[in-house]
Amino acid sequence: MIDDSTGPFTIGELARVTGLTVRTIRYWSDEDVLRPVARSAGGYRLYDAESAARLELIRTLRELGLGLDDVRRVLAGETTVAEVAAAHVVALDARIRALKVTRAVLSTVARRGSTAEEMTLMNKLARLSAAERGRILEEFVDEMFHGLDTADPVIRERMRTMAVDLPEEPTPEQVDAWVELAEMLQDPGFRARMRKVAEFNAADRGPDVPAGASLWFARRLVQLGAEARRRGIAPESSEAAQVLRDLLGDADPADVLERLRSTTGDRVARYRELLAVVKGGAPAAAHREEFAWVVAALEARVGG
């Protein structure tokens, strides 16, 4: 420590006491962060004990990652250390998240053996902001349901609010899934396919059909399809016919088959699988097998 009773100190003496280099102290002085209290007869900058204490504070703030502008504001009393620290916590959180995304992208590139072009696209899509990801989804849902006032409002809202953002610590599989999903949501062919699905949904709903009925039917389908598969019921068997009666009631099997075919194609099924992975689940959460069993059972009765 520097004794207050001693005289002014040169940059060299400050360096010896604080353990900082002369070059660093001179730089901070040149940047007007550490001001000398006087000049020697030869023009050299001189400092006092208060300068040494100020220097320790500067070093601490810099080691915590604060820029010189923030350091100047703290030293000038324009802001507090606590306020600056809080702002830097937010910035660090964003940087940590960006680094995690970078790591996941690189892991995916290494695993897939991606080309430079694929890596560039993957990195670009993975780094989209939450707002940009939301815009892609908003445009997709708007195009899918535009003008279809009778479409199930629960399905519409569910699609609009579904989470398609990457988690705080995305796995390479989640980055991979999000990239594929983002490309799919912007593909005109897939949008047209999903528009057809929405049109079927709108056509199914009469004035007395309650909101959410479409979602209930899908859950019932998965439940009965899973149970039939677990019991080893063949889609063409008489037992399968009873499962369909339990599911469809008085609905026309041919009409239901046409609608299910629009929602169970490979790309639509893949869309559900990708959503499941991005949200932290497994592809099996898309229930591809359950839908396929019901479609096969209907085809066995309705025909190709």
Side-chain angles (χ1 to χ4, degrees), residues 166-183:
L166 286 169
E168 286 296 319
E169 298 187 38
T171 65
E173 291 75 19
Q174 285 174 311
V175 170
D176 216 359
W178 161 247
V179 170
E180 186 178 343
L181 180 62
E183 292 177 294

Side-chain angles (χ1 to χ4, degrees), residues 2 12 24 28 45 50 75 82 105 144 147 155 173 175-176 184 196 242 255:
I2 292 179
T24 297
W28 287 346
R45 285 173 283 206
E50 185 177 340
L75 295 175
V105 168
M144 184 175 171
I155 296 295
E173 291 75 19
V175 170
D176 216 359
M184 186 176 286
K196 193 69 176 176
Q242 181 59 50
D255 190 47

Side-chain angles (χ1 to χ4, degrees), residues 4-303:
D4 284 336
S5 64
T6 59
F9 306 102
T10 64
I11 285 180
E13 289 170 329
L14 273 182
R16 284 193 296 274
V17 171
T18 62
L20 293 166
T21 65
V22 169
R23 182 177 180 179
T24 297
I25 298 174
R26 182 176 291 116
Y27 171 70
W28 287 346
S29 292
D30 291 341
E31 292 295 320
D32 201 31
V33 178
L34 180 69
R35 297 177 182 177
V37 296
R39 292 272 181 173
S40 69
Y44 293 105
R45 285 173 283 206
L46 299 175
Y47 304 87
D48 59 11
E50 185 177 340
S51 300
R54 186 183 183 94
L55 187 58
E56 292 290 349
L57 176 58
I58 294 169
R59 173 164 60 181
T60 300
L61 294 174
R62 292 290 287 158
E63 287 176 348
L64 290 174
L66 273 67
L68 290 178
D69 287 340
D70 283 331
V71 172
R72 288 193 196 92
R73 292 174 59 221
V74 170
L75 295 175
E78 297 172 3
T79 187
T80 67
V81 173
E83 290 169 340
V84 174
H88 274 259
V89 166
V90 174
L92 281 173
D93 284 344
R95 178 162 174 74
I96 289 170
R97 186 175 188 280
L99 287 172
K100 288 176 179 176
V101 170
T102 297
R103 183 183 185 280
V105 168
L106 290 174
S107 296
T108 299
V109 168
R111 188 181 72 254
R112 290 174 50 173
S114 302
T115 64
E117 292 77 12
E118 289 172 333
M119 181 181 68
T120 299
L121 174 62
M122 190 180 303
N123 189 51
K124 178 181 178 181
L125 290 175
R127 288 184 179 281
L128 289 176
S129 68
E132 290 168 326
R133 281 190 267 266
R135 177 185 54 76
I136 291 174
L137 175 63
E138 189 77 18
E139 290 177 353
F140 170 71
V141 175
D142 284 345
E143 183 173 324
M144 184 175 171
F145 289 100
H146 179 69
L148 301 178
D149 296 335
T150 59
D152 194 326
V154 173
I155 296 295
R156 185 198 304 260
E157 188 59 23
R158 183 183 178 90
M159 292 193 67
R160 191 180 300 280
T161 59
M162 64 184 173
V164 294
D165 201 9
L166 286 169
E168 286 296 319
E169 298 187 38
T171 65
E173 291 75 19
Q174 285 174 311
V175 170
D176 216 359
W178 161 247
V179 170
E180 186 178 343
L181 180 62
E183 292 177 294
M184 186 176 286
L185 292 176
Q186 297 173 89
D187 176 60
F190 179 70
R191 288 190 175 206
R193 180 66 180 274
M194 292 300 286
R195 170 69 180 186
K196 193 69 176 176
V197 172
E199 289 172 350
F200 277 134
N201 180 269
D204 282 340
R205 295 192 73 245
D208 298 327
V209 177
S214 305
L215 195 59
W216 175 89
F217 177 78
R219 289 171 176 165
R220 179 69 170 160
L221 182 152
V222 169
Q223 176 188 2
L224 292 178
E227 176 64 15
R229 294 183 69 250
R230 186 187 66 77
R231 291 168 55 194
I233 299 175
E236 65 279 3
S237 68
S238 58
E239 289 179 284
Q242 181 59 50
V243 174
L244 291 180
R245 284 192 290 272
D246 292 342
L247 174 64
L248 305 182
D250 297 331
D252 181 3
D255 190 47
V256 174
L257 176 59
E258 183 183 8
R259 282 150 175 71
L260 281 180
R261 279 174 172 165
S262 74
T263 62
T264 58
D266 284 342
R267 294 205 76 195
V268 179
R270 181 59 178 160
Y271 164 74
R272 293 197 301 265
E273 290 172 350
L274 292 172
L275 279 178
V277 173
V278 170
K279 293 159 71 173
H287 305 293
R288 184 192 288 252
E289 292 80 7
E290 289 83 352
F291 277 91
W293 186 94
V294 173
V295 169
L298 286 168
E299 287 176 341
R301 279 139 193 91
V302 176

